[in-house]
Structures are given as structure tokens and as C-alpha cells.
Amino acid sequence: VITFPLDWTNDLTSYIALLFFLTKVGYHGFVPYWYNGFTLFNFTPPAWYYFTLPLTYLTNVSLATYLSRILIYILGFITIWILGSKTQISKTKRIAFFLFFFANAIAIGNFIRLGRIPELFAILILIMLSSLFLYYKDKNLNKYFLIFIPLYSILLLSHQSIALISHIPLLSFFLIKSKKEKLIIILSVILGLLLASFWLAPYLSSFFSGSWGASEIRTLDLITFDKMHLAQNIASTLIPLFFIIIFYFYYQQ
């Protein structure tokens, strides 16, 4: 028995299907193939699909999807390598940093076995943004900082959860800059939001009325101490506590 792509449980096939729909109906086109039909990208961020679309026209949706994943890993390695060279990080640490993000057990399970490529693409953009913050942390902003605007916009169009997380390093970067540079950052964020508004505005306006996700409270599992969720709850408690302790000792020094 052959299963596609790796096992019975995966997210990859649905992403391949959405990529196929994009080639047939276009952005916000009506997809009649599933159930009663739906509007494409009404609630799904479109960035990865357009990133992969040129490969789709050159090959096919299945091969383009796999090539896209390889390309994301290559771009991730290049980004971390350039960051290391600009910030005087050793080659060994650059490789370790890449493996920490892309080759840990959770990443292999999510991005290779389950095939959550849009999330992988969003993490790539988040690493690019964070690299930009690290580079300018002790430097004055210049014209090259403008690359933040399209990167921020692409991240908003890539994955909702990763986009929300990205505001933690963004806030940290904002707090350490001067008043003049804070204004530049605020204007850049506004421009990034405007660039992504063609998808973001309809998504936000219809999320609570038309999305099943608005009624799903996934955090209820955190207070459900049954056998099924026990390991997850322990990890969800200990890992943040571990980082709080690390931060405390770092702050004391």
C-alpha cells in the first residue's frame, strides 16, 4: 500500500489542493470543487501560494510544492549565514542556529511529515525580519531598512500565528530605538499594513462572522488535566517557566 505523501495524517494535500485551485480560479475566485464551494483565500493567507506559483507553471502542483520546501530551507540557511557574517557569529554557530530552527523534532514533524509549508515560509520571513532587527540593533536606520516594509507585509500574508509572534521582536526593537527612529518604524509598519490590506481587511471584517475558527477555543486543553493532554500541559507550563528563570538570571547580570 502506498500512501501520499508520507502517511495518512497530513496537511500537505490540502495545501497542494489550494495551490491547484489558485491556478484554476485565481485570487478570491469561487472554488466549486469542494462541498458547496468556497471563496479562495477568504481566510487563508495567500503568500506561500504565490511564492510557489511560478514553480507550478514550470512543473506541476505536486512537484512545485516539494521544490518550494527545498527552496525555503536554502533561503533560510542563506539568511542565517548572512546574519552570522554581518554580526560576527562563527560558522559553527550559524550552522547550529539553522539546525535549531529547521531540523529540530517539532520542525521535522510539522514541516516534513505533516507538510505545513505556509507556516515554514512564514518562519523564513520571520527569521529575515529578526535578522534585520539584530543588524540594526546597534546601528542607525538607513535607506536599506526599507526592506522591512515588504518583509512585514509578506509575513502578514503568510501565516496568522507567526505574524502575531513577529510583533514580539518588533516591539523589542522599537523600544530600544530613538524617538526619530521610532517614528520611522511606526510609518514602516503602517505602510506594511497598507500593502497587505487587500487580503487583511476582508479577512478581519469577515473573520468573526464567517470563520469556524472564531468559535473554537483551543486553549481549553491547557486546563484539562486528563491523560491525553497531560504531556502537552506539562510542557506548556515548564518551558515558559524555564525561559522566565533564564531571563531573571540574565537581567541580574
Side-chain angles (χ1 to χ4, degrees), residues 77-91:
F77 183 81
I78 292 173
T79 300
I80 292 173
W81 194 265
I82 293 175
L83 169 65
S85 65
K86 295 294 183 181
T87 54
Q88 309 303 316
I89 298 175
S90 69
K91 294 179 180 179

Side-chain angles (χ1 to χ4, degrees), residues 105-139:
I106 295 175
I108 292 171
N110 278 340
F111 306 139
I112 295 179
R113 190 181 74 82
L114 294 180
R116 292 176 175 170
I117 308 182
E119 185 178 355
L120 175 64
F121 179 72
I123 289 176
L124 168 66
I125 305 301
L126 176 59
I127 291 174
M128 290 181 175
L129 271 178
S130 300
S131 300
L132 195 68
F133 298 153
L134 286 172
Y135 178 76
Y136 280 105
K137 180 173 68 71
D138 300 315
K139 296 181 176 65

Side-chain angles (χ1 to χ4, degrees), residues 9 13 16 23 27 37 55 58 77 92 95 116 120 136 160 167-168 173 177 179 203 225 243 245:
T9 304
T13 47
I16 293 175
T23 65
Y27 179 76
L55 294 173
L58 292 173
F77 183 81
T92 302
I95 295 173
R116 292 176 175 170
L120 175 64
Y136 280 105
Q160 298 96 321
H167 291 83
I168 297 175
F173 181 69
K177 304 307 286 184
K179 290 183 178 179
Y203 167 74
F225 295 97
F243 279 103
I245 293 172

Side-chain angles (χ1 to χ4, degrees), residues 1 3 26 31 34 44 75 84 109 151 153-155 177 189 242:
V1 177
T3 57
V31 180
W34 282 357
T44 303
L75 291 174
L151 285 177
S153 179
I154 292 171
L155 184 56
K177 304 307 286 184
V189 168
F242 177 71

Side-chain angles (χ1 to χ4, degrees), residues 37-185:
F38 66 94
T39 301
L40 189 63
F41 300 137
N42 214 19
F43 298 106
T44 303
W48 172 79
Y49 301 92
Y50 279 96
F51 172 77
T52 312
L53 191 60
L55 294 173
T56 306
Y57 288 135
L58 292 173
T59 56
N60 57 68
V61 290
S62 298
L63 181 57
T65 301
Y66 286 100
L67 291 175
S68 171
R69 180 160 50 186
I70 294 171
L71 184 58
I72 291 171
Y73 276 99
I74 293 172
L75 291 174
F77 183 81
I78 292 173
T79 300
I80 292 173
W81 194 265
I82 293 175
L83 169 65
S85 65
K86 295 294 183 181
T87 54
Q88 309 303 316
I89 298 175
S90 69
K91 294 179 180 179
T92 302
K93 288 182 178 179
R94 296 177 212 177
I95 295 173
F97 193 45
F98 170 79
L99 295 176
F100 175 79
F101 272 100
F102 291 99
N104 64 76
I106 295 175
I108 292 171
N110 278 340
F111 306 139
I112 295 179
R113 190 181 74 82
L114 294 180
R116 292 176 175 170
I117 308 182
E119 185 178 355
L120 175 64
F121 179 72
I123 289 176
L124 168 66
I125 305 301
L126 176 59
I127 291 174
M128 290 181 175
L129 271 178
S130 300
S131 300
L132 195 68
F133 298 153
L134 286 172
Y135 178 76
Y136 280 105
K137 180 173 68 71
D138 300 315
K139 296 181 176 65
N140 294 326
L141 302 184
N142 54 28
K143 62 182 180 180
Y144 297 108
F145 182 74
L146 292 176
I147 196 176
F148 166 84
I149 299 172
L151 285 177
Y152 180 65
S153 179
I154 292 171
L155 184 56
L156 294 175
L157 298 170
S158 299
H159 194 275
Q160 298 96 321
S161 299
I162 305 300
L164 287 173
I165 292 172
S166 71
H167 291 83
I168 297 175
L170 175 59
L171 176 61
S172 303
F173 181 69
F174 175 82
L175 292 175
I176 65 173
K177 304 307 286 184
S178 64
K179 290 183 178 179
K180 180 182 177 181
E181 291 180 320
K182 281 184 171 69
L183 180 60
I184 294 174
I185 295 170

